[in-house]
Amino acid sequence: MGRTQYTAALIGTGRIGFTLGFDKKREQPASHTMALLNNRRIRLVAGCDIDSVRLSAWRAFVHRADTFSDAASLLAAVHPDIVVIAAEEAAHEPLALAALAARPRLIILEKPVAVTLTAGRRIAQAAADARVPILINHERRFAVDYAAARCAVQTIGAIQSVTAFLGSSLCVYDPTAESDGSYSLLHDGTHLFDIVPFILGAESAATLTAAEVTSITRHSTNHAQIDQCTVTCRSAVCADIVIRLSGRSRYFAFELDILGTEGRVRIGNGMYEVYRRMPSRLYSGFYSLASDRHTHIPKKTGYFARMVQHAVDYLDGNVPLKSSIADGLAALELIETIKAQLQ
């Protein structure tokens, strides 16, 4: 185990940056602040937010860290090993470019990379020029249950189909929300388009091809707003991938269903199930799928803690970056392809 203690600075002390760490129903740590503080190899030395109320609350909790009213002031005064950007999506590009100019050893950037693919590519180019790696917080890549599901998928035979669903009350797409990214195709869709190929054993959404929108449900009065859509695509291991997004749900759902020739894997919020081919209890001489009794939802998935530990392991030189800027851009490129068919 390495002994170096890395310093970190946080830009953005809102929900994902700080306050989700107090949600009693969520697995903790559930914010960047809590995950950084819980890692013994990291010392959180500074934070900033343009909202003085949020910053004041953060300052009261993180006593030993310096605080600043904006990122420019922080980056001028502090030179951390890790800069974490947890601000709103629209601010990702200017904040990432400013952080890259300061040349930390690593940037952790909240998903999505940016509100547009063009902006994301500018970040990627600046990162390449500065030779600063960027870790994108597609957090499910680091969760124990998704890692187990990825392994289980390799044991269920050839993949026949994949069905993924994202349901919430946030509209799928609205052209008036382009500037801030407040639509589910981008906000949570980036997680979905990143994790589908990951579960199938690939590393990037670039492996999903031939994306086609096959159905669209528009808002009853605002016809430019998309409330629901279905997307089909394919990959090298599965020719039948269906991704459904809905902004009509009165609940939040995020789930994947992978059907193989010898089994099935289902995973999502609060759900992890594996089914395997067994002699049927219903029909003589037939086989059916039966629940794998050895599969259980882990009490702790470690999704946020493991992301931060991965950053430490990467800086130690022990592992390659698992969720890179290239991976984040691949998800964003797929979103742009879909979005062009919705307009």
Side-chain angles (χ1 to χ4, degrees), residues 307-324:
M307 182 277 292
V308 169
Q309 182 57 46
H310 178 74
V312 170
D313 293 339
Y314 172 77
L315 289 176
D316 282 347
N318 294 329
V319 296
L321 207 58
K322 183 185 286 188
S323 184
S324 68

Side-chain angles (χ1 to χ4, degrees), residues 234-248:
R234 59 190 301 136
S235 76
V237 298
C238 182
D240 184 10
I241 300 175
V242 179
I243 300 173
R244 296 187 174 94
L245 302 98
S246 176
R248 304 166 65 197

Side-chain angles (χ1 to χ4, degrees), residues 283-305:
Y283 312 105
S284 298
F286 283 78
Y287 286 83
S288 298
L289 291 183
S291 178
D292 185 335
R293 297 180 180 180
H294 300 290
T295 300
H296 304 284
I297 300 175
K299 291 182 179 179
K300 294 274 285 186
T301 69
Y303 67 102
F304 227 123

Side-chain angles (χ1 to χ4, degrees), residues 86-97:
E88 295 179 351
E89 289 94 331
H92 283 192
E93 182 186 8
L95 291 175
L97 295 179

Side-chain angles (χ1 to χ4, degrees), residues 187-264:
H187 186 73
D188 288 305
T190 183
H191 278 306
L192 200 60
F193 296 120
D194 180 74
I195 205 63
V196 167
F198 185 80
I199 284 289
L200 295 178
E203 296 298 329
S204 167
T207 60
L208 299 181
T209 60
E212 180 181 357
V213 176
T214 58
S215 71
I216 298 174
T217 300
R218 298 184 182 275
H219 190 273
S220 58
T221 57
N222 178 10
H223 298 300
Q225 177 178 308
I226 308 301
D227 283 348
Q228 188 171 333
C229 75
T230 300
V231 179
T232 61
C233 54
R234 59 190 301 136
S235 76
V237 298
C238 182
D240 184 10
I241 300 175
V242 179
I243 300 173
R244 296 187 174 94
L245 302 98
S246 176
R248 304 166 65 197
S249 303
R250 298 178 65 184
Y251 54 85
F252 180 64
F254 188 106
E255 56 191 49
L256 287 78
D257 190 346
I258 302 100
L259 188 64
T261 54
E262 297 184 20
R264 180 184 189 184

